[in-house]
Amino acid sequence: MGLPNGGRMPLVGFGTWKLRHGQARAAVLAAFEVGYRHVDTATMYANEAEIGQAFADSGLDRSEVFVTTKIRPSDAGRVRDILRQSLQALGTDYLDLWLVHWPPPRRGDSRKLWNELLAVQAEQFVRDVGVSNYGLAEIDDLTRSSGHAPAVNQIDWGPTLYDEQVLAGHADRGIAVEAYSSLKNTNLDDPGLTKIAAAHGVTPAQVVLRWHLEHEVTVIPKSAHPGRIAKNFDLLGFALTPAEVASVDAMADR
Ligand SMILES: NC(=O)c1ccc[n+]([C@@H]2O[C@H](COP(=O)([O-])OP(=O)(O)OC[C@H]3O[C@@H](n4cnc5c(N)ncnc54)[C@H](OP(=O)(O)O)[C@@H]3O)[C@@H](O)[C@H]2O)c1
């Protein structure tokens, strides 16, 4: 997925929420081993240092990995300090993507924080900036007030939340949609999913993740288990038919 500032966000990334106490390092290393080159974290997850450790241990070049982290709205006003801490913990001198984790309650604060992110982006410490958990009206307010649209909106998304209009709204604005909790919020025993999975010889989780790719939505599945980490990344050996995509879309209506 091409981003406005020239970065390329791999459509499949590795989610790390709730991975801590050694689990994050092990899981991220397992993810790198099977080919993930995109990692999603946040100041709030308190695991950036473990991810930095995994990155150092992997021997991968910085340019090979796409790193996203997020700032909490409560850290507005000390954006440079938080960025310095994130960079230090992750062992890097730049972020590929920095997201506002959720909208500050007041519109004025939202605009202020967004301008602070744009300022550090201009200083080259962050390649692209974006938001998470924003509605389209909140995004439009940021874009109008600053002249810069977020590159990405990371949102709670999956078959049961499918809404064509939401995807079209982001596409019209040139904003990439990144899905979180796609597996957690889906019934992986749904007979419609298990039928499609059997037809392709894959797992229902792979069907759900592949469905996102069919809609050009980025996925960041999290798992602590190497077997699942590998399967969740193995999405390019099959494709869903248009009828299968439509039947997964229809899970939102059930
Ligand atoms: N921006 C935000 O506000 C926000 C909010 C939530 C999440 N996120 C990001 O999005 C990432 C993904 O979301 P998430 O962690 O909430 O949920 P998720 O990735 O949809 O689901 C994770 C859960 O599903 C299980 N799982 C993973 N692969 C599986 C498979 N193949 N079959 C069955 N179960 C499987 C995991 O268990 P095991 O670990 O035991 O395998 C874990 O309990 C997060 O890690 C985080 O990076 C962002």
Side-chain angles (χ1 to χ4, degrees):
M1 173 74 58
L3 297 184
N5 214 26
R8 293 200 71 78
M9 176 168 70
L11 275 172
V12 185
F14 187 65
T16 66
W17 186 30
K18 298 204 173 156
L19 290 170
R20 288 181 68 189
H21 312 301
Q23 263 197 336
R25 181 182 161 276
V28 171
L29 264 178
F32 284 149
E33 263 161 39
V34 297
Y36 290 79
R37 292 292 180 266
H38 168 181
V39 181
D40 181 84
T41 182
T43 297
M44 199 190 87
Y45 303 168
N47 62 11
E48 290 173 316
E50 276 194 55
I51 290 165
Q53 194 59 54
F55 180 52
D57 294 349
S58 72
L60 288 167
D61 190 77
R62 174 67 186 87
S63 63
E64 293 177 76
V65 182
F66 186 97
V67 180
T68 303
T69 191
K70 313 183 194 84
I71 181 168
R72 297 170 292 209
S74 54
D75 287 326
R78 36 192 218 111
V79 159
R80 278 193 174 70
D81 282 348
I82 298 298
L83 179 64
R84 196 169 49 242
Q85 286 164 23
S86 285
L87 292 175
Q88 193 177 11
L90 288 161
T92 178
D93 52 11
Y94 72 96
L95 300 175
D96 293 281
L97 182 62
W98 205 21
L99 305 177
V100 178
H101 206 149
W102 60 90
R106 287 198 303 252
R107 188 193 286 180
D109 291 342
S110 186
R111 291 178 181 177
K112 208 167 140 222
L113 178 55
W114 183 239
N115 284 330
E116 288 182 81
L117 259 68
L118 290 171
V120 291
Q121 182 191 23
E123 293 164 13
Q124 315 287 315
F125 294 117
V126 180
R127 204 154 190 191
D128 279 285
V129 286
V131 295
S132 179
N133 298 302
Y134 275 59
L136 287 171
E138 289 166 317
I139 285 178
D140 286 342
D141 181 64
L142 293 188
T143 309
R144 260 195 314 270
S145 63
S146 69
H148 293 276
V152 171
N153 190 17
Q154 186 181 109
I155 53 174
D156 193 359
W157 195 250
T160 57
L161 293 170
Y162 177 70
D163 181 339
E164 200 181 341
Q165 309 249 21
V166 171
L167 292 190
H170 285 84
D172 289 347
R173 291 162 174 79
I175 297 169
V177 176
E178 191 176 8
Y180 72 70
S181 302
S182 324
L183 298 177
K184 199 160 70 185
N185 294 340
T186 305
N187 173 14
L188 297 174
D189 296 323
D190 179 276
L193 288 178
T194 54
K195 189 171 160 221
I196 298 171
H200 292 280
V202 298
T203 65
Q206 285 172 295
V207 171
V208 171
L209 296 169
R210 178 73 212 194
W211 170 82
H212 286 74
L213 304 191
E214 305 293 356
H215 282 296
E216 293 185 44
V217 171
T218 300
V219 286
I220 43 171
K222 169 265 172 187
S223 177
H225 297 98
R228 285 177 173 175
I229 291 171
K231 282 255 194 271
N232 293 346
F233 187 70
D234 185 10
L235 305 175
L236 300 182
F238 70 106
L240 304 185
T241 65
E244 288 169 339
V245 171
S247 82
V248 180
D249 293 352
M251 285 176 73
D253 305 324
R254 294 214 289 273

